[in-house]
Amino acid sequence: MPCRGLHSIPAGPVEFPDITTVYVICGEKITVMVDAGVSNSIADFSFLDKLDYIVLTHLHIDHIGLLPELLQVYKAKILVKNGFKKYLTTDEGIKKLNETAEKVLGDLYYIYGGLEKKLDQDKVIEVEGNEEFDLGGYKMKLIYTPGHARHHISVQIDDFLFTGDSAGAYFNGVVIPTTPPVIDYKMYIESLKKQIELKPKVVGFAHGGLVSPKIMEEHLKQMLSEGEIQINVDIGGIAGEVLRKQIEVNLRGLRESKKSI
């Protein structure tokens, strides 16, 4: 039976699958996936009869890990910000991605897993960030939203906005900055404001699932507040430890970025 509509799929590591969410939008013409989870994931995509595009919001390892497996099954094209294709398609690029991730994430790198092999050149298409696609019943637009990373793009599909890591995370009712080293604080704020101005009805976070757009407004106030941000969220167990480590990485990046202003 053909896939239809919007699907939200846990794609984090086995220790905490819900820390990362991948979205699939099945139109009448085109099926799109937003991000590709971590390599150490047991995400189930067996419901997909086809996959035309995988839009990478950015090239951090918790968003690209399942690309090799997905490309073995589906004839999908990968969409990535212009100028950054080389990080997926060359040995040097893959090495750089993994080395940077290990330096920033520490132990989390081994929990998430790296990207082990380069992708074929013809599988990866570079985009600027203003492209529009007719999915058949849905209209998709790509939006350049730098700050979290220079190569970050967000995806608007009708009244849904998929923000990757450009607009925060949300767990147990707590808003969490998505600001690991090295972020550009000013660009992050501008991208967050731009997305709030789009007035989506539903927002899809890469970390925290589908949320109200009001969470982005709450995150903006959080980011603009004076003093050091404190995050208190405890979900317990191994998952709680993974989340705690990720929060520590994000808050460290935020502190470093504010010092450079």
Side-chain angles (χ1 to χ4, degrees):
M1 182 176 179
C3 167
R4 288 292 180 266
L6 168 66
H7 302 263
S8 173
I9 304 150
V14 293
E15 294 87 349
F16 188 12
D18 288 324
I19 197 171
T20 299
T21 301
V22 163
Y23 299 97
V24 174
I25 303 89
C26 301
E28 296 172 1
K29 300 177 182 178
I30 295 173
T31 296
V32 172
M33 180 180 292
V34 180
D35 285 331
V38 308
S39 58
N40 292 337
S41 172
I42 54 173
D44 183 6
F45 302 110
S46 60
F47 69 94
L48 279 177
D49 56 316
K50 68 166 187 169
L51 183 58
D52 299 293
Y53 293 111
I54 302 173
V55 182
L56 299 180
T57 60
H58 59 297
L59 298 180
H60 292 165
I61 62 164
D62 51 330
H63 296 256
I64 63 175
L66 291 174
L67 286 175
E69 288 79 2
L70 287 165
L71 293 181
Q72 286 181 353
V73 179
Y74 303 103
K75 296 179 181 180
K77 296 292 186 180
I78 313 301
L79 303 185
V80 64
K81 181 68 177 72
N82 184 42
F84 294 90
K85 174 179 179 175
K86 62 185 178 181
Y87 291 102
L88 294 175
T89 58
T90 67
D91 291 327
E92 183 180 351
I94 293 295
K95 181 181 178 182
K96 178 70 172 179
L97 284 182
N98 288 321
E99 288 179 348
T100 300
E102 184 178 10
K103 179 180 178 180
V104 170
L105 295 173
D107 291 346
L108 284 176
Y109 172 77
Y110 302 100
I111 294 173
Y112 294 160
L115 189 65
E116 296 184 358
K117 59 181 181 179
K118 64 184 179 182
L119 307 182
D120 292 339
Q121 290 276 347
D122 62 355
K123 289 290 186 179
V124 184
I125 300 172
E126 293 189 332
V127 296
E128 287 295 340
N130 289 308
E131 293 82 357
E132 296 185 1
F133 298 77
D134 181 4
L135 307 185
Y138 301 97
K139 299 293 185 181
M140 178 174 78
K141 182 176 182 179
L142 305 183
I143 304 165
Y144 185 41
T145 50
H148 176 88
R150 291 181 295 131
H151 39 80
H152 199 292
I153 56 177
S154 296
V155 183
Q156 185 177 23
I157 299 181
D158 290 352
D159 291 329
F160 288 80
L161 179 63
F162 303 97
T163 60
D165 284 354
S166 64
Y170 192 68
F171 290 98
N172 273 29
V174 178
V175 183
I176 302 167
T178 41
T179 52
V182 176
I183 71 154
D184 185 310
Y185 177 81
K186 291 183 178 179
M187 293 182 73
Y188 186 100
I189 294 297
E190 290 306 309
S191 292
L192 181 54
K193 288 179 177 178
K194 178 194 295 186
Q195 292 176 96
I196 291 171
E197 290 172 359
L198 293 173
K199 300 186 183 301
K201 288 185 177 179
V202 180
V203 175
F205 281 170
H207 305 291
L210 295 170
V211 302
S212 165
K214 292 182 180 179
I215 301 302
M216 292 197 298
E217 296 176 12
E218 186 176 340
H219 181 42
L220 179 60
K221 292 178 182 178
Q222 178 187 56
M223 290 292 291
L224 294 176
S225 63
E226 296 182 1
E228 189 168 312
I229 296 174
Q230 302 292 331
I231 303 294
N232 296 306
V233 55
D234 184 6
I235 60 175
I238 297 176
E241 183 64 14
V242 171
L243 182 57
R244 182 189 64 79
K245 289 182 178 181
Q246 186 64 68
I247 291 171
E248 288 179 354
V249 171
N250 289 339
L251 293 183
R252 184 175 78 245
L254 183 56
R255 287 194 298 269
E256 293 174 1
S257 67
K258 282 190 170 182
K259 287 179 182 178
S260 64
I261 297 175

